[in-house]
Amino acid sequence: MSGPGAGGSPTGWPEGWPAAQLDALLEAALAEDVGSGDVTTAACVDRGLRARAVLLAKQRGLVAGLPVFARVFGLLAPQVSWRPLGGDGMEITAPPVRLGELAGPAAVLLSGERVALNLLQHLSGVASLTRAAVDLAAGRAEILDTRKTTPGLRWLERYAVRVGGGVNHRFGLDDGVLIKDNHVAAAGGVGAAVRRARAMAPRGLRLEVECRTLAEVDEALEAGAEIILLDNMSSDLLTASVARIGGRARTEASGGVTLANLASEGASWGMPEARARQVIEEVVERVPEAVLGAARSVPGL
């Protein structure tokens, strides 16, 4: 078997991944970085030199994006071989840890390493921070992502959220109704916005509305909202809103949710019954510093 997650040439993608979309993304990233050619490598590295590169996890965290890392080199040169020593979802507790080895033309390894590492580091950061939030929630809440993703990287960042134990929210504007404060203002109120969306939105789409006060929560309930997004509320108001809803709608919290208050105040927010679990959004907006690194490609093969 060959592929990014197996030994051999790092060509192709795992089953179910949008191959054409992701290849186009990586090709654009390589074009941005390499441009018309890696002039430093061309000047310093003999064309026929072969080398081996070792991928090391240098900090504690959760690994996500190894198929992406390997595929970068597969696009540059099919003769590059990849030997994985770990996989996505692997928890690094005692670094450094070897995650895999590349072997092939030294010039290709040098030219591709930055794009490959940037993506692997970023996705591992998303997965690691998501896991930290999931651990702090301790089963009292799910951790959801948002549309506040890096343009072009949404599919990969949502994948990293899942690796970290989080849950994906709507992918885009066309697969869920989410009425926000500007929609409410334009429609003339929470109740009016919910009723209009229910009448006009395509059948089968979940209907969610953002509320900032108890009065808006009451409007949303009266209009029959399925999901109520409690936005930028204090801990006390969040607790009161969940109690007011009383399981009549699913609840989510967004804005102002941090790892710190998830740990210190999350238990006091009050959870609905299992069929209406509270969901905490936006914890994964800020990605920590890179948790991975790689040894430089060195001659030797």
Side-chain angles (χ1 to χ4, degrees):
M1 176 181 178
S2 66
S9 178
T11 57
W13 290 99
E15 184 177 354
W17 287 44
Q21 173 188 336
L22 296 178
D23 274 356
L25 170 67
L26 298 189
E27 286 166 352
L30 287 167
E32 176 184 64
D33 196 43
V34 178
S36 60
D38 180 350
V39 294
T40 307
T41 296
C44 298
V45 179
D46 291 339
R47 184 184 294 266
L49 183 65
R50 294 181 60 83
R52 177 178 288 121
V54 179
L55 178 65
L56 298 173
K58 295 183 176 179
Q59 298 179 33
R60 299 170 72 177
L62 199 65
V63 178
L66 284 174
V68 182
F69 176 87
R71 182 59 176 156
V72 169
F73 298 97
L75 289 173
L76 284 172
Q79 64 266 41
V80 174
S81 66
W82 162 246
R83 186 167 76 94
L85 302 174
D88 283 0
M90 180 179 180
E91 188 169 1
I92 306 301
T93 58
V97 174
R98 294 162 68 96
L99 297 178
E101 295 180 355
L102 288 163
V108 171
L109 302 187
L110 287 167
S111 296
E113 67 170 349
R114 180 44 52 203
V115 168
L117 284 173
N118 283 353
L119 289 166
L120 181 58
Q121 290 168 338
H122 178 69
L123 297 176
S124 296
V126 171
S128 298
L129 190 54
T130 303
R131 175 61 60 84
V134 168
D135 289 346
L136 289 172
R140 297 187 302 268
E142 293 176 318
I143 303 300
L144 258 70
D145 56 17
T146 75
R147 286 174 43 248
K148 297 177 181 179
T149 53
T150 308
L153 294 184
R154 183 168 297 174
W155 195 94
L156 289 174
E157 290 177 343
R158 284 165 59 88
Y159 164 75
V161 166
R162 296 196 302 274
V163 171
V167 178
N168 293 147
H169 201 258
R170 62 175 181 165
F171 186 86
L173 294 172
D174 61 348
D175 65 351
V177 177
L178 176 49
I179 302 167
K180 299 181 72 67
D181 55 350
N182 290 329
H183 300 115
V184 168
V190 167
V194 171
R195 287 187 289 271
R196 288 182 62 170
R198 187 177 299 283
M200 299 180 65
R203 288 184 178 274
L205 293 186
R206 61 186 177 190
L207 196 156
E208 181 172 357
V209 62
E210 183 178 278
C211 295
R212 296 163 294 176
T213 67
L214 283 174
E216 289 186 341
V217 168
D218 289 338
E219 277 193 72
L221 289 170
E222 184 178 351
E226 301 164 16
I227 308 171
I228 296 177
L229 174 60
L230 306 172
D231 185 53
N232 282 300
M233 290 186 172
S234 67
S235 183
D236 289 343
L237 183 55
L238 187 60
T239 301
S241 296
V242 171
R244 179 74 64 90
I245 293 165
R248 288 178 286 172
R250 286 180 56 108
T251 54
E252 297 178 3
S254 174
V257 179
T258 66
L259 293 180
N261 62 26
L262 187 59
S264 63
E265 303 171 14
S268 71
W269 292 340
M271 298 304 302
E273 298 298 323
R275 65 183 179 85
R277 298 178 66 192
Q278 185 175 4
V279 181
I280 310 303
E281 267 190 313
E282 295 185 3
V283 176
V284 298
E285 281 184 40
R286 298 182 64 83
V287 179
E289 292 184 0
V291 298
L292 297 168
R296 282 284 177 179
S297 304
V298 294
L301 184 65

